[in-house]
């Protein structure tokens, strides 16, 4: 582990200002990338810019944005979670199954995926924070276990949309001022998260842990409890995402959302969330999801075969990671310069 | 002697006699038939398994159904290899990739195992017979007829298939394209795109959304995959294109019932997977018992499924399409 | 007997678990205990095994590479191009392996010289390499392989033992020697334990990392040849998703994900264990997801073991009332 000699006192205001700037810069980085991408596609194919198409993009991105935000929350604490897809699937299936057997249930149904997701996330958190298992291994294991449990519960059967309550099927399609409800929900969730991380001390403590665990521990932060919280929060978000996914696609299979672990990681990385922890923003992660959806959509519009999309997306991730490192080193340099100036 | 001893030695003698007799004559029952679908848990394949199990019970055979929980080529090959070790008399499968399963199937046939494909074929020299739900031309016509119901005046159509290596889907597309070009009944359609969705719900949904955006005048999305057609209908509803774009193709009644009922879709097609599985297993049994010659033109009766004729290259066409409309969909419960 | 006592404790546990898995498999299915069957079943784990050997070296260094399965696909498709124009497999193999090594080296350069986090980089190259494989290979892929290309993946070498398994053992021995008995290997451990100290001691960290990644890439190319023989087809989606199994094998083998600890024998034993379990459960037609639950649980238990031991040790110390020894 790199032990950085970052001063914890002095230059506080300056550092916070610079820190905020760096964070904002990261977000504007991916936002800028998104704008350039849209401009490129729009110039090549004007049909890209129609409200219908843009609607399609953000609808496709909405659920991924929530999961990317969940991944970002965990990444910020210098951990990761590859069980997000399995958590989505488990929460979605149990909820859908319950709804299929209790058709009269109302909006209270929504509690179920949130609680289930939270419980699953908490188990991840316990393994990582208290069991001291490496996050990759712990969540790799739980990924298999949760997915397997979903199968055992379901006896392998899928749930078709006709068995789900009507309101659940119609939920994602309802619109407010032309914007699908799905998108509004995703946007609201991401914004609330962002506010929490920036303005609540618990949120900021998560950044602290991600930057430097030992320093945070010496400083008196309850690192283990905070990591547990991060994972639980991630789980709740995955539960919500799973529910929305089931509502959107209609058919709930046992393998729902398998593969989303890497996609959510990709979205977060593109969005400027550092895999090494301590920096990045859920808004960036959400924008990263939009970038992925945009690339997908634009390439289809241009008639480019699917495998080019894989190549482009992969390259985008590498580029994003490079940009991330470059920015981080820039910030470090200016931090050092500032500190040198501040010293008497 | 004590009663137990008499009983056991008597039973033992009968058993020995029975084994000797059964060894001496050619078997016509008690075969071990193993079936694997593209993936388990999909009501379509579960129904086929149910039909297969029924046929096996009727004929006095042993039936084993196993497979992976999602469509993965590697896992299907692994399943088949595991089947091989369990020394079955016959293997039935719906192949995900016609070439990838060929090596292991050829190995099976070398050991004298009868290989039957159903729903999705493998390489022709890797299997004994292929029970096709509908001849490819028939399937193509059925889907186009459904498309006509959706859009009587014609328009732009796009195809959705599982992958370029799914032979039945690719054959459907080939014939549909041909009919659109040659048959005056379908000439008002125009093919604008073909996309692949790997039998995956989410992918099918996204593909449909993107297709509608890429082709603003699109009228019908035709899916050979029973996973993609309902997802397409969903996407149409979600994006507010109901009445402007239609989704059709093959789909399970339970998956598209709501769309037919609320009028957003007019027609889908399907066949009875349970009877398909029954037929496949019955035909396999007949072949094992030496009662089925696979020369083209041979007729045979498959129990309560009716009479069938063997076609070219070992293909047996089930050939009973069902058109699902608002009125007919309630009759089916799979 | 003394040699057995010298084996690391985790390796012993793996051996015990494998024997137990074997017994359980024999119980589950009457078809298991058959020398031909067991020999044949090893086929299924050769190509992930070769990838795992390459990945192990990278992990020992303290990095990770999740793009190896994509490199395999790339290699397979490249092989198909050579086979299509009638190039002999003896000529094609070194070329393809070199190309895959180049891809690996690209990962290495990005990680070692640009200092990018390896998870993010290989996440990106995972998609990029696979996309490349699709671009070169086209959608339908290729199946008309010349027989000699298919040899390694499909034929048997000594009696029932598959040729691919023999190849795997040879590579395992080679990588084992490289990791445990050469300067290169020792430096990898050093870097994994303490990157800064190694650099300060004069080890060219960047070069070593690049070499390790290139080696992993090269092995993926070899695995591609095995794949082709086994499945007879080369397409962009070859081995899609295999990487999770490979990572599981490496981690279960006792290689510390943070680097610097673990060894090749452990990885080989873990592969045997996983192979036995998968084979046994497959023969009993246990549904896949149930298998994954068992695998996942095994993984977690395996990693929790030292934590549990430490907790016990601490409790024991407290009970014997020694002065408290600060644990790390």
């Amino acid at each position: 582990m790199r032990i950085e000699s970052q001063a914890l006192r002095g230059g506080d205001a300056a550092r916070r200002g610079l820190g905020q700037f760096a964070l904002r810069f990261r977000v504007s980085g991916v936002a800028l990338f998104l704008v350039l991408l849209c401009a490129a596609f729009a110039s090549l194919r004007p049909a890209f810019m129609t409200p219908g198409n843009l609607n399609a993009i953000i609808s496709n991105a909405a659920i991924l944005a929530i999961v990317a935000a969940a991944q970002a929350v965990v990444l910020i604490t210098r951990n990761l979670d590859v069980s997000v897809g399995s958590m989505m699937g488990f929460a979605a299936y149990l909820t859908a199954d319950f709804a299929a057997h209790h058709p009269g249930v109302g909006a209270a149904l929504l509690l179920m995926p949130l609680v289930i997701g939270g419980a699953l996330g908490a188990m991840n958190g316990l393994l990582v924070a208290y069991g001291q298992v490496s996050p990759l291994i712990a969540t790799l294991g739980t990924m298999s276990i949760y997915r397997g449990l979903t199968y055992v519960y379901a006896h392998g059967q899928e749930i078709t949309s006709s068995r789900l309550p009507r309101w659940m099927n119609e939920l994602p399609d309802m619109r407010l001022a032309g914007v699908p409800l799905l998108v509004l929900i995703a946007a609201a969730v991401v914004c609330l998260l962002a506010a929490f991380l920036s303005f609540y001390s618990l949120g900021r403590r998560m950044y602290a842990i991600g930057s430097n665990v030992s320093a945070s521990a010496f400083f008196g932060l309850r690192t283990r409890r905070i990591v547990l919280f991060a994972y639980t929060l991630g789980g709740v978000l995955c539960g919500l995402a799973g529910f929305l996914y089931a509502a959107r696609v209609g058919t709930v299979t046992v393998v729902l959302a398998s593969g989303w672990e890497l996609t959510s990681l990709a979205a977060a990385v593109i969005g400027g969330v550092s895999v090494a922890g301590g920096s990045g923003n859920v808004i960036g992660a959400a924008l990263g999801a939009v970038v992925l959806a945009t690339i997908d959509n634009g390439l289809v519009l241009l008639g480019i075969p699917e495998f080019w999309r894989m190549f482009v997306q992969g390259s985008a991730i590498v580029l994003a990671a490079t940009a991330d490192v470059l920015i981080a080193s820039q910030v470090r340099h200016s931090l050092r310069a500032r500190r040198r100036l501040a010293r008497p | 002697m004590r009663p137990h001893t008499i009983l056991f030695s008597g039973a033992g003698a009968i058993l020995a006699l029975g084994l000797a007799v059964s060894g001496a004559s050619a078997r016509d029952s008690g075969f071990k038939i193993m079936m694997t679908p593209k993936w388990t848990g999909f009501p379509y394949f579960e129904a086929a398994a149910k039909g297969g199990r029924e046929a096996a019970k009727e004929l006095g055979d042993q039936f084993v159904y196993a497979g992976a929980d999602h469509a993965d080529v590697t896992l299907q090959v692994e399943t088949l290899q595991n089947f091989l070790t369990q020394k079955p008399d016959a293997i039935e499968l719906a192949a995900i990739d016609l070439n990838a399963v060929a090596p292991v199937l050829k190995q099976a046939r070398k050991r004298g195992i009868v290989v039957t494909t159903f729903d999705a074929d493998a390489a022709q020299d890797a299997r004994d017979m292929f029970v096709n739900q509908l001849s490819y031309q028939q399937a193509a016509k059925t889907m186009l007829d459904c498309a006509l119901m959706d859009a009587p005046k014609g328009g732009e159509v796009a195809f959705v298939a599982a992958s370029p290596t799914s032979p039945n889907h690719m054959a459907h597309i080939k014939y549909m394209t041909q009919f659109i070009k040659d048959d005056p009944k379908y000439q008002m359609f125009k093919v604008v795109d073909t996309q692949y969705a790997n039998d995956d719900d989410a992918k099918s949904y996204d593909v449909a959304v993107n297709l509608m955006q890429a082709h603003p005048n699109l009228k019908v999305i035709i899916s050979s995959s029973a996973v993609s057609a309902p997802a397409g209908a969903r996407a149409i509803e979600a994006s507010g294109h109901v009445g402007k774009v239609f989704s059709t193709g093959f789909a399970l009644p339970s998956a598209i019932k709501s769309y037919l009922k609320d009028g957003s879709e007019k027609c889908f097609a399907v066949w009875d997977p349970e009877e398909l599985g029954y037929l496949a297993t019955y035909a396999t049994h007949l072949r094992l018992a030496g009662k089925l010659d696979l020369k083209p033109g041979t007729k045979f009766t498959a129990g309560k499924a009716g009479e069938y004729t063997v076609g070219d290259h070992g293909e047996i066409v089930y050939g009973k399409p069902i058109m699902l409309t608002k009125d007919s969909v309630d009759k089916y419960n799979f | 007997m003394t040699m057995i006592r010298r084996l690391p404790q985790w390796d012993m546990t793996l051996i015990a678990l494998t024997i137990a898995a074997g017994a359980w498999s024999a119980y589950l299915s009457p078809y298991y205990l058959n020398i031909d069957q067991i020999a044949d079943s090893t086929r299924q784990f050769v190509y992930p095994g070769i990838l795992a050997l390459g990945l192990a070296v990278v992990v020992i260094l303290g990095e990770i590479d999740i793009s190896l399965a994509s490199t395999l696909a790339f290699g397979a498709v490249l092989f198909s191009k050579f086979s299509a124009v009638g190039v002999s497999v003896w000529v094609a193999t070194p070329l393809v392996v070199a190309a895959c090594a180049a891809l690996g080296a690209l990962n290495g350069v990005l990680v070692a010289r640009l200092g990018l986090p390896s998870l993010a980089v290989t996440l990106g190259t995972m998609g990029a390499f696979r996309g490349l494989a699709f671009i070169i290979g086209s959608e339908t892929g290729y199946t008309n392989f010349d027989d000699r290309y298919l040899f390694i993946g499909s034929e048997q070498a000594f009696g029932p033992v598959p040729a691919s398994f023999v190849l795997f053992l040879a590579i395992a021995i080679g990588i084992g020697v490289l990791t445990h008995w050469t300067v290169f290997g020792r430096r990898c451990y050093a870097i994994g334990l303490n990157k800064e100290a190694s650099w300060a001691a004069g080890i060219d960290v960047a070069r070593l990392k690049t070499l390790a990644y290139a080696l992993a890439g090269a092995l993926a190319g070899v695995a591609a040849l095995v794949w082709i023989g086994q499945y007879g087809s080369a397409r962009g989606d070859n081995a899609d998703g295999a990487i999770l199994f490979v990572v599981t094998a490496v981690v279960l083998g006792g290689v510390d994900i943070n680097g610097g600890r673990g060894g090749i024998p452990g990885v080989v034993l873990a592969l045997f264990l996983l192979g036995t379990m998968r084979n046994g459960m497959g023969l009993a037609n246990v549904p896949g997801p149930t298998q994954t639950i068992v695998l996942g649980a095994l993984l977690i238990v395996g990693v929790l073991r030292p934590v549990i031991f430490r907790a016990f040790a601490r409790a024991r110390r407290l009970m014997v009332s020694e002065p408290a020894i600060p644990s790390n």
Side-chain angles (χ1 to χ4, degrees), chain C residues 256-309:
Chain C
D256 192 328
I257 202 75
N258 296 312
R261 266 181 260 272
I264 298 300
V267 175
V268 175
L269 289 173
L271 283 163
F272 277 131
L273 172 60
L274 290 172
T276 309
M277 287 185 59
R278 279 270 285 264
N279 184 225
M281 289 198 279
L283 281 182
N285 297 320
V286 171
T290 313
Q291 293 189 27
T292 32
I293 296 183
V294 175
L295 238 74
L298 198 68
L299 189 61
I300 293 185
V301 164
V303 187
L304 275 180
R305 195 192 45 98
V307 177
I308 298 174
F309 276 17

Side-chain angles (χ1 to χ4, degrees), chain B residues 10-26:
Chain B
I14 295 173
L15 194 65
L17 196 66
L19 280 173
V21 169
S22 64
S25 62

